Amino acid sequence: IVGILSALVNLGGAQMTRAGSSKAIAFCSRARALAQEQGLLAHERDACECLYNAYSLRADAPNALIHRECFRLLDDSLHETETAKK
């Protein structure tokens, strides 16, 4: 599943043009949903970053902000988990 998630985010990134932003959003949304189902926070964080970039490219500020916040919260959570392990 990790390979599929990485591929979806990479496909989303490859579609990161104004014309391709709908495809990028579709790939990255699917990656986020799969990552959530599997509890894979790092991959969900990456998908949120991809969605943030795609919505920003579209100048869709409300959705960009939602996904930026998602990225930030997941990134913070992952850093806290790493710090607690040390």
Side-chain angles (χ1 to χ4, degrees), residues 39-68:
L40 299 170
L41 296 182
H43 292 283
E44 185 180 356
R45 177 200 57 198
D46 295 345
C48 286
E49 183 178 32
C50 180
L51 287 163
Y52 163 72
N53 290 332
Y55 282 117
S56 292
L57 189 62
R58 273 188 160 178
D60 182 344
N63 278 311
L65 181 60
I66 288 167
H67 291 93
R68 174 67 182 138

Side-chain angles (χ1 to χ4, degrees), residues 4-85:
I4 293 169
L5 292 170
S6 294
L8 287 168
V9 170
N10 288 336
L11 285 168
Q15 297 295 322
M16 209 61 73
T17 64
R18 196 175 233 353
S21 63
S22 292
K23 288 182 182 178
I25 290 167
F27 284 125
C28 294
S29 292
R30 183 67 183 132
R32 183 177 181 202
L34 284 171
Q36 283 178 318
E37 287 172 16
Q38 299 297 317
L40 299 170
L41 296 182
H43 292 283
E44 185 180 356
R45 177 200 57 198
D46 295 345
C48 286
E49 183 178 32
C50 180
L51 287 163
Y52 163 72
N53 290 332
Y55 282 117
S56 292
L57 189 62
R58 273 188 160 178
D60 182 344
N63 278 311
L65 181 60
I66 288 167
H67 291 93
R68 174 67 182 138
E69 186 65 11
C70 166
F71 169 81
R72 190 187 63 77
L73 291 171
L74 289 167
D75 196 53
D76 287 351
S77 178
L78 288 164
H79 285 293
E80 287 174 14
T81 301
E82 273 302 307
T83 302
K85 286 181 182 178

